[in-house]
């Protein structure tokens, strides 16, 4: 009897051990079973070089943990994320958690020289923040120079355990990341452009999940294939991590239902084509055919572009493959490969129509808390200009006599030598001369912004900021300019979500246009495209103390200075103040 009990105990223990090991091989289940409430999730990011082959050419790229694209970071609403980043490469590094509100955790936002100095070689930094009131798809990426070209990955925010999606639960969820690929080092590309003052060389290919696809030479074996079953609903988590291109996306003979944008739910709507700008994320539902088709369906992405410069005018393809009832993948002949039709490369009317369909749910559970009254209003022009060519140097910018530059209200932002947040928090008086607080709230020299451009295209330079009190209701009108050609600009605001209350073509009319604002259910985003030759109005509540950058998410424009910084002052209560910096905050 005793031996039987011992054997039984050993069997129970072995079963418990196997179950525990199984749970811990699946972090989601393991963490979920450890606590029914919020949990702390730990990740290690080792920045390392790795040889990767694309388009029949091998080169060394920067990766996280040797992966390209980088590893998936998963959390639930309310969870705390602790990510230790160790830099093993010669480049300076910082990581931005794109779209995360970073409430009282501004030290973990990540943009170099704004909230932190970059992590230097053989140094490390721990990003420590909590997901507050957010669920959906975001992403993380490097925020130093053009390192985002290979350093990016999905950030998936699941609902709390007792919450569900406001739509039918999908059969499967699939991240789809769009990127760009250069055969050369992107750091050399932007370095040359800044030296000569001309536009940078464009990428050699677009990618889906790091793969260029069969439409490029020497790339048949580098194709993303989405294997699906008939009659199922898939949630595609679309992420545009491309450096410099807005993209159209479509799947042949399939309709997509948009249900979320930038980690906020939207009123579902159907479309055959999705527009997604760099920095934006969009969740769409893909309902597969009810029966097994003997067809391969291409998914395609190609650029939307309205500027005057050069761009990568190519198309990336992935393939949707149906699994037949017997479990094998169909491999039909090329005559049954269906391709979708994408809009024309400069189809601004499609873009405006698609953007107008995005609306907040605005229900009791997910209200649209749009500021109805405004404390401070700002009018910012955005666009491309020029700066003087240095003496005894030949430049390749406008008229071959200047350098390309970019500006807001004609101010091209100059990065400081130490982080703005560090200066603001620790050395407000001592280092006040490093930045100023006189960023113009309106253009200093008004003109016909979308009409005949002025003769003078020169921009000013400076590290200028705007200071606003805690809990200020803010309205910003972003006005595109035609100085060196009208162009769409995807703008990203760090530290906040905002509501897109209005947009239009031509010059903003401060008397007539506000009457047409949507203050009921405007879409809530963290990145939005300013219309080419038009304007866009956003509103947000400045309830997050710290220093927050707002910038164009085209990295070439960012390198040219198309950015500014908000300083949001502390509130009066303890939970309205920015805590002290962590002891391992990188130093410049």
């Amino acid at each position: 009897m005793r031996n039987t009990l011992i054997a039984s105990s050993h069997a129970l223990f072995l079963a418990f051990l196997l179950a525990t090991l199984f749970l811990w091989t699946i972090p989601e289940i393991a963490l979920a079973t450890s606590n029914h409430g919020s949990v702390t999730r730990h990740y290690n990011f080792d920045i390392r070089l790795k040889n990767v082959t694309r388009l029949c050419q091998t080169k060394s790229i920067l990766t996280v943990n040797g992966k390209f694209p980088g590893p998936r970071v998963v959390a639930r609403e309310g969870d705390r994320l602790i990510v230790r980043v160790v830099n093993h490469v010669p480049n300076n590094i910082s990581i931005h958690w794109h779209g995360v509100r970073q409430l009282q955790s501004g030290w973990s936002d990540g943009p170099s020289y704004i909230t932190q100095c970059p992590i230097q070689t053989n140094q490390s930094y721990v990003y420590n923040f909590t997901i507050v009131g957010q669920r959906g798809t975001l992403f993380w990426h490097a925020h130093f120079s053009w390192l985002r070209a290979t350093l990016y990955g999905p950030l998936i925010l699941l609902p709390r355990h007792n919450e569900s999606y406001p739509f039918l639960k999908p059969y499967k969820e699939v991240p789809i990341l769009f990127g760009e690929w250069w055969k050369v080092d992107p750091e050399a590309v932007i370095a040359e452009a800044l030296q000569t003052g001309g536009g940078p060389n464009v990428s050699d290919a677009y990618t889906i999940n790091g793969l260029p696809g069969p439409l490029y030479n020497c790339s048949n074996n580098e194709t993303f294939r989405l294997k699906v079953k008939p009659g199922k609903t898939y949630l595609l988590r679309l992420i545009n991590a491309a450096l410099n291109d807005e993209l159209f996306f479509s799947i042949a003979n399939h309709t997509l239902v948009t249900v979320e944008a930038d980690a906020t739910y939207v009123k579902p709507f159907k479309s055959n084509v999705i527009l997604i700008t760099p920095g934006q994320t969009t969740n769409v539902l893909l309902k597969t055919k009810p029966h097994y088709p003997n067809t391969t369906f291409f998914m395609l992405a190609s650029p939307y572009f309205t500027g005057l410069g050069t761009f990568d005018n190519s198309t990336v393809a992935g393939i949707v493959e149906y699994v037949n009832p017997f479990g094998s993948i169909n491999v039909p002949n090329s005559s049954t490969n269906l391709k979708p039709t994408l809009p024309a490369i400069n189809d601004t009317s499609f873009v405006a129509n698609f953007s107008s369909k995005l609306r907040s749910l605005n229900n009791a559970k997910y209200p649209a808390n749009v500021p109805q009254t405004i404390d401070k209003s700002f009018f910012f022009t955005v666009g491309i200009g020029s700066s003087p060519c240095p003496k005894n140097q030949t430049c390749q910018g406008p008229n071959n006599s200047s350098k390309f530059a970019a500006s807001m209200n004609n101010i091209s932002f100059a990065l400081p030598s130490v982080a703005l947040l560090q200066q603001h928090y620790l050395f407000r008086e001592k280092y006040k001369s490093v930045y100023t607080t006189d960023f113009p709230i309106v253009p200093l020299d008004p003109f016909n912004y979308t009409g005949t451009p002025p003769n003078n295209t020169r921009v000013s330079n400076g590290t200028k900021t705007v200071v606003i009190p805690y809990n200020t209701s803010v309205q910003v009108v972003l006005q595109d300019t035609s100085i060196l050609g009208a162009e769409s600009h995807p703008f990203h605001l760090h530290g906040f979500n905002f509501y897109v209350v209005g947009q239009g073509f031509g010059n903003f009319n401060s008397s007539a246009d506000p009457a047409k604002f949507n203050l009921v259910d405007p879409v809530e985003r963290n990145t939005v495209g300013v219309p080419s030759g038009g304007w866009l109005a956003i509103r947000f509540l400045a309830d997050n103390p710290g220093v927050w950058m707002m910038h164009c998410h085209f990295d070439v424009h960012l390198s040219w200075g198309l950015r500014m910084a908000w300083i949001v002052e502390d509130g009066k209560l303890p939970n309205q103040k920015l805590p002290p910096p962590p002891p391992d905050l990188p130093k410049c």
Side-chain angles (χ1 to χ4, degrees):
M1 180 69 176
R2 183 173 178 274
N3 290 338
T4 302
L5 289 173
I6 293 174
S8 176
S9 298
H10 285 171
L12 287 171
F13 175 75
L14 182 59
F16 171 79
L17 181 61
L18 290 173
T20 302
L21 289 173
F22 170 75
L23 290 174
W24 280 104
T25 61
I26 307 175
E28 264 305 293
I29 297 176
L31 288 170
T33 55
S34 65
N35 189 339
H36 289 294
S38 300
V39 299
T40 298
R41 301 172 186 264
H42 295 264
Y43 287 88
N44 287 315
F45 275 24
D46 287 313
I47 313 295
R48 297 186 183 277
L49 292 168
K50 183 180 181 180
N51 288 335
V52 173
T53 301
R54 296 289 185 271
L55 308 176
C56 280
Q57 183 172 318
T58 302
K59 71 171 187 176
S60 182
I61 67 170
L62 272 65
T63 67
V64 170
N65 301 342
K67 296 181 179 180
F68 171 69
R72 186 181 312 186
V73 174
V74 180
R76 291 191 180 274
E77 179 184 351
D79 285 354
R80 182 184 179 193
L81 278 168
I82 296 179
V83 186
R84 183 172 183 263
V85 178
V86 185
N87 185 5
H88 301 279
V89 300
N91 309 74
N92 287 343
I93 295 290
S94 71
I95 300 294
H96 172 49
W97 311 93
H98 185 108
V100 174
R101 285 289 317 274
Q102 298 290 359
L103 288 164
Q104 290 191 285
S105 56
W107 305 105
S108 289
D109 191 41
S112 293
Y113 301 108
I114 303 297
T115 60
Q116 66 167 94
C117 295
I119 307 167
Q120 300 179 33
T121 305
N122 296 324
Q123 301 297 313
S124 66
Y125 182 48
V126 176
Y127 293 91
N128 185 341
F129 54 94
T130 300
I131 305 301
V132 180
Q134 293 182 282
R135 79 294 300 166
T137 301
L138 297 172
F139 74 120
W140 58 264
H141 62 78
H143 216 304
F144 184 91
S145 188
W146 279 23
L147 301 186
R148 181 163 66 91
T150 59
L151 287 176
Y152 61 86
L155 175 55
I156 296 173
L157 307 180
L158 301 171
R160 296 180 184 274
H161 277 291
N162 58 347
E163 300 286 343
S164 60
Y165 297 132
F167 46 84
L168 188 66
K169 184 178 180 180
Y171 170 72
K172 192 175 182 181
E173 303 181 9
V174 183
I176 294 182
L177 293 87
F178 304 107
E180 290 183 80
W181 181 264
W182 278 262
K183 291 182 179 179
V184 298
D185 182 5
E187 288 299 279
V189 172
I190 184 57
E192 179 185 15
L194 294 177
Q195 173 67 26
T196 65
N201 292 331
V202 300
S203 56
D204 295 289
Y206 297 109
T207 58
I208 295 178
N209 290 349
L211 302 171
L215 301 186
Y216 295 103
N217 290 332
C218 198
S219 190
N220 272 330
N221 295 328
E222 299 165 358
T223 301
F224 171 69
R225 299 176 183 273
L226 175 61
K227 297 175 177 60
V228 299
K229 294 181 178 181
K232 301 292 185 181
T233 298
Y234 293 78
L235 179 68
L236 307 183
R237 297 179 177 270
L238 308 180
I239 298 168
N240 189 349
L243 262 62
N244 295 313
D245 289 281
E246 301 176 84
L247 295 170
F248 296 120
F249 173 74
S250 183
I251 300 176
N253 206 17
H254 288 74
T255 299
L256 302 173
V257 179
T258 299
V259 294
E260 179 253 305
D262 291 355
T264 59
Y265 298 129
V266 299
K267 290 183 172 69
F269 67 91
K270 295 180 180 180
S271 60
N272 295 324
V273 180
I274 300 293
L275 172 77
I276 185 166
T277 78
Q280 285 185 340
T281 58
T282 306
N283 279 3
V284 298
L285 296 177
L286 168 68
K287 182 67 178 293
T288 58
K289 305 294 181 184
H291 306 291
Y292 169 74
N294 188 28
T295 307
T296 290
F297 302 93
F298 274 91
M299 58 171 71
L300 300 182
S302 67
Y304 164 60
F305 185 79
T306 58
L308 298 178
T310 56
F311 61 99
D312 183 353
N313 188 14
S314 65
T315 301
V316 61
I319 294 177
V320 176
E321 296 178 330
Y322 276 75
V323 179
N324 70 26
F326 302 103
S328 63
I329 301 296
N330 64 316
V331 187
N333 59 50
S334 60
S335 63
T336 59
N337 291 345
L338 297 182
K339 294 182 180 179
T341 300
L342 295 173
I345 197 163
N346 59 350
D347 195 342
T348 56
S349 60
F350 172 89
V351 171
N353 182 55
F354 179 83
S355 301
S356 68
K357 294 178 181 177
L358 290 159
R359 300 292 182 94
S360 293
L361 282 183
N362 191 28
N363 56 27
K365 190 171 184 178
Y366 303 107
N369 296 315
V370 192
Q372 300 294 309
T373 59
I374 296 300
D375 299 322
K376 289 187 179 294
S377 186
F378 302 86
F379 184 87
F380 295 159
T381 58
V382 298
I384 309 302
S386 64
S387 59
C389 187
K391 290 183 179 181
N392 302 320
Q393 181 179 332
T394 301
C395 289
Q396 299 174 7
N399 301 318
N400 289 323
S401 61
S402 60
K403 291 188 171 189
F404 278 109
S407 67
M408 300 176 66
N409 280 356
N410 208 47
I411 305 295
S412 185
F413 191 87
L415 281 174
S417 56
V418 289
L420 287 182
L421 183 58
Q422 193 173 7
Q423 299 169 47
H424 168 69
Y425 188 90
L426 299 176
F427 311 109
R428 298 184 190 189
E429 299 303 322
K430 183 178 179 181
Y431 286 98
K432 201 168 185 179
S433 61
V434 176
Y435 69 90
T436 61
T437 57
D438 57 346
F439 187 91
I441 64 173
V442 295
L444 298 179
D445 298 306
F447 61 98
N448 183 3
Y449 306 114
T450 56
T452 302
N455 293 327
N456 184 7
T457 64
R458 296 292 170 86
V459 305
S460 301
N461 293 281
T463 309
K464 297 178 180 293
T465 65
V466 173
V467 178
I468 49 178
Y470 180 84
N471 241 24
T472 298
S473 296
V474 178
Q475 176 176 291
V476 182
V477 174
L478 296 166
Q479 173 72 61
D480 185 36
T481 62
S482 58
I483 293 177
L484 288 178
E487 184 175 355
S488 175
H489 296 278
F491 258 77
H492 173 49
L493 175 61
H494 290 234
F496 302 93
N497 280 359
F498 52 76
Y499 291 95
V500 182
V501 297
Q503 58 185 318
F505 292 108
N507 295 336
F508 175 72
N509 186 321
S510 59
S511 300
D513 287 327
K516 296 176 284 187
F517 283 177
N518 175 9
L519 302 182
V520 177
D521 63 349
V523 67
E524 182 181 356
R525 305 210 71 143
N526 63 60
T527 306
V528 67
V530 178
S532 176
W535 58 271
L536 183 116
I538 65 173
R539 290 186 176 187
F540 65 95
L541 182 66
D543 59 352
N544 195 6
V547 178
W548 309 104
M549 184 163 64
M550 185 165 72
H551 64 93
C552 181
H553 221 274
F554 289 151
D555 273 22
V556 59
H557 294 174
L558 185 62
S559 299
W560 287 343
L562 193 46
R563 58 178 128 191
M564 55 83 64
W566 303 91
I567 296 179
V568 179
E569 297 177 320
D570 283 341
K572 296 180 179 179
L573 302 177
N575 65 349
Q576 299 172 346
K577 300 178 186 294
L578 181 69
D584 64 337
L585 184 71
K587 297 178 175 58
C588 292

